[in-house]
Amino acid sequence: MALITCSKLSIGYEREIICSDLNFTVEQGDYLCIVGENGSGKTTLMRTLLNLRKPMAGEIITGDGLKPNEIGYLPQQSQVQKDFPASVEEIVLSGCLGRKGRKPFYSAVDRKTVDRNLERLGISALRKKCFRELSGGQQQRVLLARALSATEKVLLLDEPVTGLDTEAALSMYSLIEKFNKENGLTVIMISHDLEASLKYATHILNIGEKIFFGTKDEYLAWTRGESAEEAGVGAEAPAEDAGTPAEAGAEPPAEAEVQHE
């Protein structure tokens, strides 16, 4: 069974529906990028997946024993978060809160989880530093370590490279890809960077006036107005006739940047 299944899902806030009839699944180990125009409902969808908003219609079904407190979340940073007066260790440790229940103190297991994630993100030396004294790239690594402390299954990220320079952004993408491929972590990421989405994702969900869900190859075919069959997606390449090379596929169009919510 899929980790997450959305069926005939409508999302919005108060009484206003932003996007309706969303149907998609997320399997263990998938890397799903959510793209779409400004105001299309990407962040609202993520908050609905996190149970921070109720669906306006339809349903979200979780499988494989996935519990709400087993989902890590890296939201867009606000200025208040950037100036938060806490140590790196304290912030990463707070990622363990969701699974503590009524226990008042952090356990030895929680602290080992923090040690491990500080090391995985290469920020062990920063553990006693104040969060607001760090660079933007270092802050995002801390927040990613916090999200990883909450989960070993599913990680939700809302524009994780916003405000980072090119080097820091590439480093962040590389880390997320590593956790997805090497650790089997399922990733759901909102992105306005279509080039990166097509490079790293296994699946694309486009929401807005037009809705699409499928593999990235199917997405490219969709943007060209082709069906999967016409584009040869998922089918074996035709055998070449003797002395006649198979026709080369059409070049994909230039990738345009997709704005985000």
Side-chain angles (χ1 to χ4, degrees):
M1 185 178 181
L3 276 179
I4 300 172
T5 301
C6 292
S7 177
K8 299 180 180 179
L9 182 67
S10 294
I11 57 172
Y13 45 86
E14 296 180 356
R15 297 183 179 180
E16 181 183 357
I17 293 178
I18 299 175
C19 189
S20 60
D21 201 27
L22 290 171
N23 297 279
F24 64 95
T25 58
V26 181
E27 303 282 351
Q28 177 67 44
D30 279 356
Y31 192 141
L32 171 66
C33 278
I34 303 172
V35 300
E37 303 90 349
N38 242 356
S40 60
K42 299 185 296 297
T43 296
T44 301
L45 171 59
M46 187 160 283
R47 289 173 179 168
T48 305
L49 292 174
L50 288 161
N51 204 30
L52 298 176
R53 289 190 181 279
K54 292 183 178 180
M56 306 290 282
E59 59 183 349
I60 301 172
I61 303 169
T62 56
D64 197 26
L66 180 66
K67 301 174 183 177
N69 64 355
E70 292 178 322
I71 299 176
Y73 179 41
L74 177 57
Q76 291 189 44
Q77 267 210 83
S78 66
Q79 190 59 47
V80 172
Q81 289 172 313
K82 291 179 180 180
D83 292 336
F84 197 69
S87 72
V88 167
E89 184 176 25
E90 289 170 334
I91 288 176
V92 178
L93 192 56
S94 69
C96 300
L97 282 172
R99 60 172 182 267
K100 288 188 62 59
R102 297 183 178 181
K103 297 177 182 178
F105 303 107
Y106 291 110
S107 66
V109 173
D110 294 332
R111 297 189 182 279
K112 286 182 179 178
T113 297
V114 170
D115 290 343
R116 176 170 175 259
N117 286 321
L118 288 172
E119 184 175 349
R120 291 165 85 188
L121 273 297
I123 51 175
S124 295
L126 302 177
R127 65 186 309 143
K128 298 301 181 183
K129 289 276 189 179
C130 183
F131 181 74
R132 63 186 177 188
E133 296 174 358
L134 304 180
S135 68
Q138 289 172 330
Q139 287 186 342
Q140 281 299 85
R141 283 180 176 242
V142 172
L143 295 176
L144 180 55
R146 179 185 184 276
L148 290 170
S149 294
T151 186
E152 290 293 333
K153 288 188 176 182
V154 183
L155 182 64
L156 273 59
L157 307 107
D158 191 349
E159 299 286 3
V161 302
T162 297
L164 302 185
D165 60 34
T166 301
E167 183 178 354
L170 290 174
S171 177
M172 180 63 67
Y173 281 136
S174 179
L175 284 168
I176 296 167
E177 180 187 34
K178 177 181 178 180
F179 296 133
N180 172 248
K181 289 187 174 181
E182 296 183 10
N183 301 101
L185 186 67
T186 302
V187 174
I188 303 175
M189 181 174 73
I190 293 174
S191 180
H192 72 280
D193 186 344
L194 188 55
E195 182 179 355
S197 297
L198 293 172
K199 178 179 179 181
Y200 297 108
T202 59
H203 294 76
I204 303 288
L205 173 64
N206 185 98
I207 66 175
E209 186 176 342
K210 295 182 178 181
I211 297 173
F212 170 86
F213 169 70
T215 67
K216 58 185 177 184
D217 289 334
E218 291 168 343
Y219 174 77
L220 284 172
W222 178 71
T223 62
R224 294 192 295 262
E226 301 173 353
S227 67
E229 291 77 12
E230 289 172 331
V233 174
E236 293 184 4
E240 295 183 9
D241 294 329
T244 304
E247 289 186 13
E251 288 292 327
E255 294 166 353
E257 181 175 327
V258 180
Q259 290 185 319
H260 61 289
E261 182 177 57

